[in-house]
Amino acid sequence: MNFDTIVTQLQFTACIEKALLKEFAYHQREIELRSLTAYKGENFDFELCSQRPAMRLAVVIYLLCEQYKKYQKIGVPENMIWDTFRDVALRAELYFQKIGEVGLDQDDVVWFRHIMETEIFQIGSLQFQPFEMMYVEEPMDGFDFIYIENAKRNASSW
């Protein structure tokens, strides 16, 4: 999977697609280098967040080339991979409509860490993030209830 194929599969509007391909043509080496440290940082202060918006988007797309393989490796169906990745195109389109430039805002970069960690899946418009849920079950009048607040309190003392 390469950058051009990802851009095509994400179904960007023509204006955004053209700008992305131009960005990659002019800055390919920089995009490749920035992708190596894009999600380094603490407290969601990733290095990619400090880049200009068009670079943020180009690096995210570049990283999707590798993520595509990871999603395939864990058995995610092709249509789910593209549904998941198309969130990038949606957010880029919203950014373009709001700002009038091609790119991503910092909050979107932070959100996409879930894709970069292969932690989120999308089917159509529904996104799923599997995680291990800790909870405490307490019977009450013959019914089982899940008290999330109790689970949070108990989990913090473990």
Side-chain angles (χ1 to χ4, degrees):
M1 191 64 53
N2 63 37
F3 189 90
D4 292 0
T5 303
I6 295 278
V7 169
T8 300
Q9 289 293 326
L10 292 182
Q11 302 172 352
F12 287 101
T13 59
C15 177
I16 295 174
E17 181 173 333
K18 182 179 177 182
L20 279 169
L21 295 175
K22 184 177 178 180
E23 180 80 12
F24 189 70
Y26 289 152
H27 302 286
Q28 180 175 353
R29 185 66 185 136
E30 182 181 359
I31 291 166
E32 291 169 352
L33 289 173
R34 295 209 182 275
S35 74
L36 298 174
T37 58
Y39 281 90
K40 301 276 190 243
E42 296 181 21
N43 300 321
F44 307 126
D45 186 23
F46 301 120
E47 289 185 25
L48 186 54
C49 291
S50 67
Q51 300 305 309
R52 58 188 173 77
M55 179 61 70
R56 289 181 208 143
L57 179 56
V59 170
V60 165
I61 292 168
Y62 185 82
L63 289 168
L64 291 181
C65 298
E66 189 61 34
Q67 286 310 114
Y68 179 83
K69 296 174 199 169
K70 290 179 182 179
Y71 274 84
Q72 277 190 319
K73 186 175 181 176
I74 62 172
V76 178
E78 186 86 6
N79 64 319
M80 282 179 60
I81 294 171
W82 292 116
D83 285 349
T84 302
F85 288 5
R86 283 194 187 103
D87 193 28
V88 174
L90 171 66
R91 291 169 188 262
E93 182 63 37
L94 292 172
Y95 184 86
F96 186 78
Q97 289 173 5
K98 181 178 177 183
I99 306 298
E101 297 176 11
V102 173
L104 291 173
D105 67 27
Q106 293 174 339
D107 291 338
D108 291 332
V109 169
V110 172
W111 173 252
F112 290 142
R113 77 187 185 283
H114 297 297
I115 292 175
M116 301 312 161
E117 295 171 0
T118 324
E119 292 180 342
I120 198 163
F121 306 90
Q122 189 164 330
I123 303 172
S125 62
L126 300 176
Q127 285 187 331
F128 301 90
Q129 184 179 11
F131 63 92
E132 186 175 333
M133 183 174 159
M134 297 186 317
Y135 60 88
V136 177
E137 293 183 21
E138 295 182 19
M140 182 181 269
D141 296 329
F143 297 99
D144 288 338
F145 290 90
I146 299 172
Y147 292 95
I148 299 300
E149 291 305 312
N150 288 342
K152 287 180 186 177
R153 193 172 22 255
N154 292 337
S156 66
S157 64
W158 291 347

